[in-house]
Amino acid sequence: DIVLTQSPALAVSLGQRATISCRASQSVSTSSYNFMNWYQQKPGQQPKLLIYESSNLASSLPARFSGSGSGTDFTLTINPVQADDIATYYCQQTRELPRTFGGGTKLELK
Amino acid sequence: QVKLLQSGAALVKPGASVKMSCKASGYTFTDYWVNWVKQSHGKSLEWIGEIFPNSGATKFNENFKGRATLTVDKSPSTAFMELSRLTSEDSAIYYCTRRDYYGSYIDFWGQGVMVTVSS
């Protein structure tokens, strides 16, 4: 199985940039696509899609969220961070079955 | 709008089975794969498997193969997951989700079903 590694937590100040990383144990990219997605989960809620295929913003989401990366290294950026962004963020690879998720990065306020 | 309405919480005994439902609305049910995802308390997410309602085709995580059964009822647009031979490790929230039509990512999530396995 492809293992996705995320830092457990990240502390950031409101209005600053947050950079959340996800590293895959093997490439999740092809020549055409990067099979990496990002989800946001707030306490007591279901996850919500943020970014698909590495860099595509899900519909109706603000441009403060962006994604990048290919191969084994991917990044979710939130700039600027707002109070409503305090949540846990998960990466997910869909290159191979089973589709796997990272352990999640909890975004906290400094 | 797309909605996935899941059944209520369940308390089940070790060794028993649990069957949960997921009623879809707001889109053509038979055109999209339904994925099931497990989230143990305070932990990450684990993909269980998926079913294509139009054909009944399924794919599973090997960790759940043989214990998870995925089915659908096209009318009324409802997906089901049955999990058997439950242990305390199966206590978790289970999400029914929709996979995007063109891609392999999840674009909508149900509200989740909390399953507690306890004697």
Side-chain angles (χ1 to χ4, degrees):
Chain A
D1 297 1
I2 297 177
V3 176
L4 302 181
T5 302
Q6 299 182 244
S7 297
L10 175 67
V12 64
S13 302
L14 292 178
Q16 300 301 304
R17 176 197 304 260
T19 302
I20 298 172
S21 63
C22 176
R23 174 163 286 178
S25 59
Q26 62 191 76
S27 175
V28 298
S29 299
T30 65
S31 56
S32 303
Y33 295 99
N34 299 300
F35 291 93
M36 181 63 74
N37 313 305
W38 291 92
Y39 302 89
Q40 176 195 64
Q41 186 177 33
K42 297 180 181 178
Q45 295 184 18
Q46 65 268 52
K48 180 174 82 169
L49 176 68
L50 288 180
I51 301 286
Y52 63 95
E53 293 166 2
S54 179
S55 60
N56 298 292
L57 187 65
S59 63
S60 305
L61 286 181
R64 305 184 286 105
F65 295 95
S66 62
S68 63
S70 65
T72 61
D73 292 297
F74 295 85
T75 300
L76 170 69
T77 301
I78 310 170
N79 188 30
V81 169
Q82 297 186 358
D84 189 50
D85 301 333
I86 299 307
T88 300
Y89 293 84
Y90 295 95
C91 56
Q92 180 209 26
Q93 68 80 23
T94 51
R95 176 68 177 86
E96 287 186 1
L97 295 183
R99 303 192 186 105
T100 49
F101 293 85
T105 297
K106 189 173 184 180
L107 189 64
E108 300 169 332
L109 283 179
K110 265 186 194 173
Chain B
Q1 69 277 32
V2 173
K3 286 187 179 177
L4 298 169
L5 185 60
Q6 297 187 243
S7 47
L11 172 62
V12 292
K13 294 190 186 309
S17 299
V18 66
K19 188 172 184 177
M20 60 193 76
S21 66
C22 170
K23 180 161 172 45
S25 61
Y27 71 97
T28 303
F29 177 64
T30 49
D31 284 353
Y32 293 77
W33 287 83
V34 175
N35 282 227
W36 293 86
V37 177
K38 174 185 179 183
Q39 185 168 37
S40 301
H41 180 66
K43 295 188 179 177
S44 185
L45 303 156
E46 188 174 15
W47 181 78
I48 297 171
E50 62 181 4
I51 184 167
F52 190 58
N54 201 23
S55 64
T58 54
K59 303 174 189 176
F60 286 97
N61 184 330
E62 284 295 323
N63 292 343
F64 294 91
K65 215 167 190 176
R67 283 208 309 131
T69 303
L70 304 182
T71 55
V72 297
D73 185 344
K74 294 182 191 178
S75 179
S77 301
T78 302
F80 301 91
M81 181 176 72
E82 184 168 18
L83 200 55
S84 62
R85 303 192 300 277
L86 294 168
T87 71
S88 59
E89 295 295 308
D90 296 312
S91 293
I93 296 174
Y94 293 86
Y95 291 102
C96 155
T97 73
R98 189 185 85 162
R99 180 156 73 100
D100 179 77
Y101 187 88
Y102 295 104
S104 52
Y105 52 91
I106 292 169
D107 59 0
F108 288 95
W109 296 68
Q111 84 276 18
V113 173
M114 180 169 288
V115 173
T116 303
V117 182
S118 173
S119 54

